[in-house]
Amino acid sequence: MRRSYDFYEKRYNWNNQMVDQLLFILDSVNNDVIDEEAIRNNGEQLLRLCVCEDRLDLFKKLISPFPFKTGEVDVNPTTRIRRDKIRYHYLIDFFTLESHGFFDEFPRSIMEAYARNQVSAKYGFSEEKTIEEISKDIVILSEYNRQSIMKVALDIDLNAMKSMRIKDVLARQISGLGHPINNKDDVKYYSETPTVIPSMMLYDLNIQTVSNDTEGCYNDNSNDSDIVSVNIGIDYDSLSEENKFVFKLMCLKGQASVGKNPNGSKFYHIFCRTTPDQEVSLVSSELVQTVEHFFPQDYIFGMVERESIIEKLRPIYADQPEAFNEFALSATNDELVKYNNEIFAESLICDDNGIYISESAKERHYKFLNLKKLIK
């Protein structure tokens, strides 16, 4: 053990027994002795311990789908050789931790420790230390290690898909965002395994996804024959008129539906009916075939209307209505964006043709225009 018991007591309020228990679980994982319940019950603590003990090899092992014997046997039809059938599922769902600021914890803890030391030193309880001195006792996850772990995490879904069943997928608690996912990397880890590829296809079509859900994900109470539904939530308002028509056709064909949330608002999703023991790759393929019916469309939410910015700025000119009217008529896109960004701390950009929420949004808009020219 690199760190002392005192370190873990101060940092996480773990007693000696807790630290020893976590170390025992990690040693077992290192030797491929897996206690699934113990790992899931202590997932966050185990990953923290891996980072603190500089065991990033074990960190990556814990967030990767792990091979398990299913009790089933494959028989080669030619050689008649029998072998155990191996499936894969997650030990720890890293993406949920990452979305809740897991990585941010490490540099942030330096500043928290520094602030605590400053207060203690002020009242004579400790010797005042610099940030450099404090950071010797705090774990810093290097940018190299951070990128390495993220690469492993983002590659997990695609590499494991051939070996996983729906019931092997560990449901992510962050899957129901309720608002559009605007970043391609976000699409990868906000999507559950069967929906990764179709969700990325929707992103490339500029169709906004807001959630996804795999019913019965790692649910031991589900029977293999139960009918479950794998869903991808769509932001209906982001659809072009022709894609809204396509979505309505999907509803008639039993590939999509419109439901109601508890608050009365509607939700729209495409789905695939399946069973817990169905292979993930087959479910993903069916969703891909559904997504392929949509047409490429412009990135509607990526562009900002001049009028919406002008209305945001109106209260600033509350006492000067005439000056506001003159400004609204004469202001260029550059001037509107400049004032908007300064006042509202936003980062809109513009060109002669429009105003965009980001450089990425601008690129997606022009990519669609170029594609439209090719199609014609």
Side-chain angles (χ1 to χ4, degrees):
M1 188 167 75
R2 295 175 66 245
R3 304 284 177 178
S4 66
Y5 288 119
D6 186 52
F7 170 86
Y8 290 111
E9 175 70 33
K10 290 179 179 177
R11 183 174 171 84
Y12 295 121
N13 198 29
W14 297 347
N15 59 31
N16 296 5
Q17 183 180 359
M18 176 71 168
V19 175
D20 287 338
Q21 178 186 346
L22 294 174
L23 287 170
F24 175 79
I25 296 173
L26 284 184
D27 287 339
S28 299
V29 172
N30 192 45
N31 295 317
D32 291 339
V33 179
I34 306 300
D35 183 338
E36 293 180 73
E37 186 176 358
I39 292 172
R40 287 203 174 90
N41 289 342
N42 299 280
E44 294 186 37
Q45 293 90 333
L46 288 170
L47 293 184
R48 288 190 173 99
L49 189 68
C50 285
V51 175
C52 293
E53 295 295 315
D54 198 23
R55 293 301 309 272
L56 299 186
D57 54 336
L58 275 177
F59 188 108
K60 293 173 184 177
K61 193 170 184 177
L62 285 168
I63 66 172
S64 301
F66 205 83
F68 286 90
K69 292 181 180 180
T70 65
E72 303 166 275
V73 176
D74 271 333
V75 180
N76 187 296
T78 305
T79 64
R80 308 306 297 171
I81 294 176
R82 297 165 62 86
R83 64 178 182 180
D84 292 325
K85 186 178 287 188
I86 303 295
R87 294 287 185 179
Y88 293 79
H89 61 75
Y90 294 105
L91 289 172
I92 299 174
D93 180 23
F94 164 75
F95 298 100
T96 300
L97 297 176
E98 200 278 336
S99 70
H100 291 167
F102 181 85
F103 277 156
D104 294 338
E105 167 187 328
F106 297 100
R108 185 176 67 240
S109 64
I110 296 175
M111 300 311 298
E112 290 174 351
Y114 177 68
R116 286 196 300 271
N117 179 261
Q118 293 292 91
V119 172
S120 296
K122 180 179 179 180
Y123 293 101
F125 297 123
S126 69
E127 181 182 344
E128 186 173 343
K129 294 181 180 179
T130 64
I131 289 182
E132 289 75 15
E133 290 171 327
I134 289 290
S135 66
K136 292 176 184 176
D137 296 327
I138 302 297
V139 179
I140 305 176
L141 193 61
S142 72
E143 189 62 29
Y144 172 80
N145 285 332
R146 184 186 301 251
Q147 291 174 356
S148 173
I149 289 170
M150 280 303 297
K151 185 177 188 307
V152 170
L154 292 174
D155 286 343
I156 282 172
D157 281 322
L158 303 181
N159 291 338
M161 192 174 290
K162 291 180 181 178
S163 306
M164 297 179 75
R165 297 168 295 187
I166 293 299
K167 68 179 182 180
D168 295 331
V169 178
L170 184 63
R172 295 177 188 158
Q173 299 305 309
I174 56 175
S175 60
L177 289 181
H179 58 77
I181 302 173
N182 290 314
N183 179 287
K184 199 160 189 174
D185 283 340
D186 286 350
V187 173
K188 292 179 185 177
Y189 68 72
Y190 282 127
S191 303
E192 292 172 358
T193 307
T195 65
V196 170
I197 293 176
S199 292
M200 290 178 69
M201 289 174 62
L202 288 167
Y203 179 90
D204 289 335
L205 292 169
N206 289 329
I207 294 173
Q208 304 282 288
T209 56
V210 296
S211 66
N212 63 79
D213 177 49
T214 306
E215 294 179 2
C217 281
Y218 200 76
N219 184 350
D220 290 330
N221 295 321
S222 293
N223 297 316
D224 285 354
S225 59
D226 289 347
I227 302 297
V228 296
S229 180
V230 178
N231 310 286
I232 301 178
I234 302 290
D235 188 328
Y236 187 76
D237 291 335
S238 77
L239 297 178
S240 63
E241 289 306 313
E242 62 181 347
N243 277 331
K244 285 180 179 178
F245 179 73
V246 170
F247 184 86
K248 291 174 182 176
L249 287 179
M250 289 177 179
C251 290
L252 293 174
K253 293 165 66 177
Q255 298 171 324
S257 68
V258 182
K260 275 195 174 182
N261 292 309
N263 62 6
S265 63
K266 292 182 179 179
F267 65 85
Y268 305 80
H269 64 269
I270 62 173
F271 63 83
C272 168
R273 299 285 188 206
T274 185
T275 56
D277 66 340
Q278 183 60 271
E279 292 183 3
V280 166
S281 57
L282 295 177
V283 175
S284 183
S285 296
E286 186 167 332
L287 286 170
V288 164
Q289 290 176 35
T290 299
V291 168
E292 285 177 339
H293 289 98
F294 284 117
F295 295 95
Q297 62 177 46
D298 205 348
Y299 183 35
I300 296 172
F301 290 149
M303 289 169 283
V304 182
E305 297 288 339
R306 277 179 55 92
E307 290 71 20
S308 66
I309 299 179
I310 290 170
E311 285 305 308
K312 281 172 65 178
L313 295 171
R314 183 185 293 275
I316 298 170
Y317 289 84
D319 299 329
Q320 307 172 59
E322 291 183 6
F324 174 76
N325 291 335
E326 183 179 342
F327 168 77
L329 290 172
S330 62
T332 64
N333 284 351
D334 281 331
E335 290 172 327
L336 282 177
V337 167
K338 178 183 176 183
Y339 293 138
N340 178 85
N341 291 351
E342 287 178 353
I343 294 170
F344 301 106
E346 295 177 343
S347 52
L348 303 180
I349 63 169
C350 70
D351 60 17
D352 293 338
N353 298 316
I355 302 171
Y356 315 91
I357 60 173
S358 65
E359 187 66 38
S360 172
K362 177 182 171 183
E363 290 174 3
R364 289 170 73 174
H365 170 61
Y366 279 100
K367 183 177 179 180
F368 168 74
L369 294 181
N370 291 333
L371 179 62
K372 196 173 180 181
K373 288 179 184 176
L374 289 175
I375 293 174
K376 286 183 177 180

